[in-house]
Amino acid sequence: MTDFLQTLATARAHIEATLLERAGTDAGFRALLQANPHAALRDLFGSDPIPSVKISVVEEAAGEVILVLPRPITGEELPDDLLDYAAGGAFKGCKGDGWTVQKVDLPGVS
């Protein structure tokens, strides 16, 4: 895996872990995450870095394990939203609407 793809994987893992940690301790946030994942991202991080990407939240039931396989991304191909996010470019939906884009420091990512 290239350094760039590893950085994206690390960022995703950090975001997911942060969401799960908050959802595990805050019932209101958990309900928001299930009902409106993008609103939950805005609530937690101050902005939604990927507003045009569909986010599905599934809660496991007792005795069930849900395994999600992300679609494969080759080193030569990245979706536009991830390119914008990784490059620090303007986020779709965040320009001119009063949002403040907040920098989030990720452990192990420079």
Side-chain angles (χ1 to χ4, degrees), residues 6 10 18 23 25 35 38 44 46 53 55 58 66 83 86 98 102-103 108:
Q6 182 60 46
T10 300
T18 304
T25 60
H38 289 283
L44 188 59
V53 173
I55 301 173
V58 179
I66 298 172
L83 283 173
Q102 177 182 7
K103 180 182 176 192

Side-chain angles (χ1 to χ4, degrees), residues 14-106:
H14 174 74
I15 290 169
E16 288 176 359
T18 304
L19 287 168
L20 292 175
E21 180 180 333
R22 172 98 180 263
T25 60
D26 181 338
F29 181 80
R30 184 183 192 92
L32 178 62
L33 182 60
Q34 290 175 310
N36 188 338
H38 289 283
L41 281 170
R42 288 190 300 274
D43 180 65
L44 188 59
F45 296 113
S47 67
D48 180 355
I50 49 172
S52 63
V53 173
K54 179 183 175 188
I55 301 173
S56 299
V57 176
V58 179
E59 185 174 57
E60 290 179 345
E64 174 182 46
V65 173
I66 298 172
L67 177 63
V68 177
L69 297 175
R71 78 175 186 86
I73 298 176
T74 66
E76 295 81 38
E77 176 246 344
L78 268 172
D80 289 340
D81 288 2
L82 288 180
L83 283 173
D84 289 345
Y85 180 63
F91 302 125
K92 294 177 184 173
C94 296
K95 290 178 74 177
D97 63 1
W99 287 12
T100 301
V101 176
Q102 177 182 7
K103 180 182 176 192
V104 178
D105 291 320
L106 303 175

